[in-house]
Amino acid sequence: MMLVTDQMTGLTVRPESALETTLRGSVLVLIQFDVCEEIRLDRLREIVGTRTLTLEQISFKHQAPGYVRYQRPPVVEPIEPLVLESGESLRGEIKYYDYGVLSVVLELPFSGDWDTLVKLGSRWVWDVDFEKHASKIARKCLEKAAPALVKPYKDWLSEDYFIFHVREVAGTPSAAELVETQGARIAQIIRGENAVLSDGERNEALQAKISYYPTDLTVIGWNGTFIYDTAAGAETAIQLLEYANSQLLEFRHYDELLTRELDGVYKFLDKGTGLLTRWKLARAATKLHTVLLDVAELTEHADNAIKFLSDMFSARLYKLAAAKVGVPDYKDLVQEKLNAAEDLYRFMVDQFNQSRAFVLESLVVIILVIELVFLFRGK
């Protein structure tokens, strides 16, 4: 049978007329950057004149659009298609979140068979430097958006994530049938592996799965997610996966910030606890406490950017996604360092207070000595 080269994937496949097209959908790449402390979205809208994304506009599994809400919906700006060296053209958009995260979303429509999707996933995950492409796009967009940025960072942290969304499967199998017949390939896809995984790895990869109806399926991995659902049904999972990864990025930033601050405090304390050193602790303690308050406020802001109001399925989906990408782990690290910093702050304040009390007591003694000297001299 004659073979042709798929212009979308760059892979050699059989033509659709040969009935080998068993899957239809799209592959999405999320590349996120932590660019500043805060983005003033109202100011940004005035600059770029873009629309605001609201989760109320998304079609949920059940008719309850008001159950999941952004406190401050991100601003969305379309971007020019990105053409890769392979010739693949990806349409895209940028989302600006008020807590300082910028998300570049790239999408490629897909049609083919399971093996083609496995190969495409492996090539994209390991061989294509999407971060480099997205960074150029982000920096160009931020040139005009600069007035809306609060305390921009010189160096950016980044996260990338892949979503393999399949809308149609030949035969329209149920979620259970799909896992039973194609579970091995689904595990390869979300891991970005071209080779077949062991039984243990496959089972581990398929553990984080969730369905609302018998006909939909979401399998979440640390690096990618497989979604079998309609376009409207998949939108909820895509938005929540994007939010979970943006949270991971924020907690990574706060973890590094607290690590630097704690290292600075430890180096300061290593100089000793003499009187003069302890007297300088007030300024260092004030700076540390300011950082603690800022981090606590900003982490709470990022942590509560989305509210779940009685939508238990979306809440469970988000919890599963957050756990899989590592949000709770970094959140715990940040909390541990906040606790350590709080203990250090109290220690530094106690040391300063002891120094101040010693100085005051010394002054009182000196004054008394002077008074006694003058008293005995009859003055």
Side-chain angles (χ1 to χ4, degrees):
M1 183 175 294
M2 178 180 172
L3 301 179
V4 298
T5 299
D6 191 330
Q7 297 299 318
M8 301 300 295
T9 64
L11 299 173
T12 301
V13 296
R14 292 182 176 84
E16 294 186 8
S17 59
L19 300 179
E20 291 294 333
T21 301
T22 55
L23 308 175
R24 294 185 186 277
S26 59
V27 183
L28 290 89
V29 188
L30 311 178
I31 309 100
Q32 298 180 323
F33 302 97
D34 190 25
V35 299
C36 63
E37 188 172 290
E38 181 184 354
I39 300 177
R40 295 192 180 100
L41 298 184
D42 292 339
R43 181 75 180 96
L44 181 64
R45 292 187 195 98
E46 296 174 0
I47 297 171
V48 299
T50 55
R51 64 188 176 93
T52 297
L53 176 70
T54 60
L55 283 182
E56 288 84 347
Q57 297 170 337
I58 299 171
S59 298
F60 283 79
K61 298 293 184 182
H62 41 293
Q63 297 301 315
Y67 285 173
V68 182
R69 298 176 183 169
Y70 278 112
Q71 284 190 332
R72 292 175 183 156
V75 169
V76 183
E77 180 183 10
I79 58 177
E80 294 293 327
L82 172 65
V83 180
L84 302 178
E85 295 179 356
S86 61
E88 297 159 312
S89 179
L90 288 71
R91 61 193 182 205
E93 62 184 14
I94 283 185
K95 297 178 183 176
Y96 302 86
Y97 292 87
D98 69 317
Y99 44 87
V101 170
L102 185 149
S103 180
V104 180
V105 184
L106 302 171
E107 181 178 8
L108 174 71
F110 166 82
S111 62
D113 58 18
W114 285 98
D115 289 337
T116 304
L117 184 57
V118 168
K119 293 175 182 177
L120 174 63
S122 176
R123 179 167 61 85
W124 273 26
V125 169
W126 302 113
D127 298 336
V128 181
D129 191 354
F130 283 107
E131 182 181 343
K132 179 180 178 181
H133 293 295
S135 179
K136 292 180 180 178
I137 296 171
R139 293 188 185 278
K140 182 178 179 180
C141 291
L142 286 182
E143 289 179 359
K144 62 180 179 180
L149 307 183
V150 178
K151 297 181 181 179
Y153 305 140
K154 181 180 179 181
D155 299 317
W156 295 354
L157 289 179
S158 65
E159 283 287 340
D160 58 12
Y161 200 78
F162 297 85
I163 299 177
F164 303 89
H165 172 211
V166 175
R167 297 188 307 273
E168 302 174 16
V169 178
T172 316
S174 66
E177 292 170 342
L178 199 62
V179 171
E180 182 179 356
T181 58
Q182 302 297 338
R185 287 192 175 97
I186 292 173
Q188 287 178 259
I189 290 168
I190 65 173
R191 291 287 180 85
E193 292 291 345
N194 203 18
V196 178
L197 299 176
S198 67
D199 292 343
E201 284 299 310
R202 180 193 63 211
N203 294 335
E204 196 281 332
L206 296 176
Q207 281 183 354
K209 61 181 183 292
I210 187 171
S211 299
Y212 189 79
Y213 296 118
T215 54
D216 68 72
L217 173 68
T218 300
V219 184
I220 303 172
W222 65 271
N223 193 47
T225 288
F226 174 87
I227 300 175
Y228 172 47
D229 205 343
T230 62
E235 190 64 27
T236 304
I238 293 171
Q239 296 296 331
L240 294 179
L241 284 164
E242 189 171 2
Y243 172 59
N245 277 276
S246 72
Q247 274 195 311
L248 174 63
L249 194 57
E250 283 295 276
F251 284 118
R252 281 183 55 203
H253 169 75
Y254 300 134
D255 176 61
E256 292 192 6
L257 174 62
L258 287 170
T259 298
R260 291 195 300 270
E261 290 297 326
L262 290 173
D263 286 345
V265 172
Y266 289 136
K267 289 178 182 178
F268 181 82
L269 294 177
D270 284 343
K271 296 178 181 178
T273 56
L275 180 61
L276 292 177
T277 303
R278 284 190 291 178
W279 193 255
K280 297 177 182 179
L281 284 175
R283 181 181 299 176
T286 300
K287 180 184 176 183
L288 179 61
H289 195 250
T290 300
V291 172
L292 285 176
L293 293 177
D294 288 344
V295 171
E297 179 183 359
L298 294 172
T299 52
E300 182 180 2
H301 186 186
D303 204 24
N304 296 319
I306 281 185
K307 294 292 185 182
F308 297 96
L309 308 177
S310 303
D311 186 354
M312 292 299 101
F313 178 77
S314 293
R316 287 191 295 113
L317 193 155
Y318 163 73
K319 185 177 181 180
L320 183 62
K324 203 64 181 178
V325 301
V327 173
D329 297 332
Y330 269 98
K331 187 176 180 180
D332 290 343
L333 281 176
V334 169
Q335 189 58 53
E336 289 175 5
K337 291 179 181 179
L338 282 173
N339 294 338
E342 188 68 34
D343 292 339
L344 274 176
Y345 169 74
R346 294 196 187 97
F347 171 77
M348 293 163 73
V349 170
D350 289 342
Q351 291 292 310
F352 171 74
N353 288 334
Q354 290 178 19
S355 298
R356 184 173 60 177
F358 176 77
V359 170
L360 291 175
E361 291 171 0
S362 299
L363 289 174
V364 170
V365 171
I366 292 172
I367 292 171
L368 287 175
V369 170
I370 294 173
E371 289 286 344
L372 290 172
V373 169
F374 279 100
L375 176 64
F376 284 112
R377 288 186 177 185
K379 296 182 182 181

